[in-house]
Amino acid sequence: HPYIGDDNIITVGMLIIIADIQQKQGLLNTAKQNVQKAISLLERLFHNKPTRHKANCYRILGDIYSNQDNHVQAREYYIKSESIYKDILKYLEIDDVSLIYERLAINSAKLNNFSQTKHYINFHKKHFGTNHPRTFSILNYLHENNFKIP
């Protein structure tokens, strides 16, 4: 049962929060270990079913690889996260989805894949609006790094 015992959904949530903080602090190996433990627990607790927690784990792994300048590997995890959200959510207009599309837009620019950058910016604008802070974040990243803004 996901709520009983030492390895439960609360433990998973704590591991995810800790891993996210660690990756933001540059403690990438420790963050990776914690997020991988969270994924392992999720797979056991939910029998490999896609969950919002697992999507968050994949986003954090994407962030870890992005911080290591491994943008191809980061993209793979961002795509896994996106796929889970599309699979489990009826409406995509939640903050976690906004975050993953911000990451995918910026990651696509880093990989010089401007058609994908445009796709993700347009998706973000459509679902979250042109005045959303992450829309501005994407456009600011492109401007600051001398990318053509689609």
Side-chain angles (χ1 to χ4, degrees), residues 9-150:
I9 194 64
I10 296 167
T11 303
V12 169
M14 290 185 338
L15 284 168
I16 292 169
I17 291 167
I18 290 167
D20 203 18
I21 292 167
Q22 289 169 328
Q23 70 85 17
K24 289 175 183 172
Q25 293 176 334
L27 303 169
L28 303 180
N29 290 330
T30 307
K32 189 174 182 182
Q33 291 171 354
N34 281 323
V35 80
Q36 287 172 331
K37 183 174 181 182
I39 291 170
S40 176
L41 288 172
L42 285 166
E43 288 173 351
R44 192 169 73 241
L45 292 170
F46 295 99
H47 310 288
N48 293 320
K49 291 181 182 169
T51 65
R52 191 169 167 185
H53 287 305
K54 193 181 248 186
N56 250 327
C57 287
Y58 288 145
R59 192 262 312 153
I60 293 167
L61 283 171
D63 290 347
I64 290 168
Y65 284 108
S66 183
N67 286 331
Q68 295 173 330
D69 292 326
N70 186 343
H71 303 298
V72 171
Q73 190 76 33
R75 180 176 182 75
E76 289 178 26
Y77 282 104
Y78 291 148
I79 295 290
K80 283 183 177 187
S81 179
E82 174 194 30
S83 177
I84 289 174
Y85 286 126
K86 285 182 172 181
D87 188 38
I88 65 173
L89 297 175
K90 185 174 181 179
Y91 301 102
L92 296 175
E93 289 79 4
I94 66 167
D95 191 60
D96 292 350
V97 174
S98 168
L99 182 59
I100 200 64
Y101 279 100
E102 175 197 38
R103 298 297 202 272
L104 280 163
I106 291 171
N107 174 268
S108 296
K110 289 178 179 179
L111 291 170
N112 294 316
N113 187 336
F114 299 111
S115 66
Q116 285 295 297
T117 304
K118 183 177 180 178
H119 165 77
Y120 291 121
I121 289 173
N122 288 338
F123 180 94
H124 198 277
K125 286 179 182 177
K126 175 182 174 187
H127 289 274
F128 300 97
T130 56
N131 292 326
H132 190 280
R134 289 201 182 102
T135 301
F136 287 119
S137 172
I138 296 165
L139 296 173
N140 285 339
Y141 175 84
L142 296 175
H143 177 75
E144 290 170 4
N145 290 280
N146 298 315
F147 290 112
K148 181 180 175 187
I149 297 175

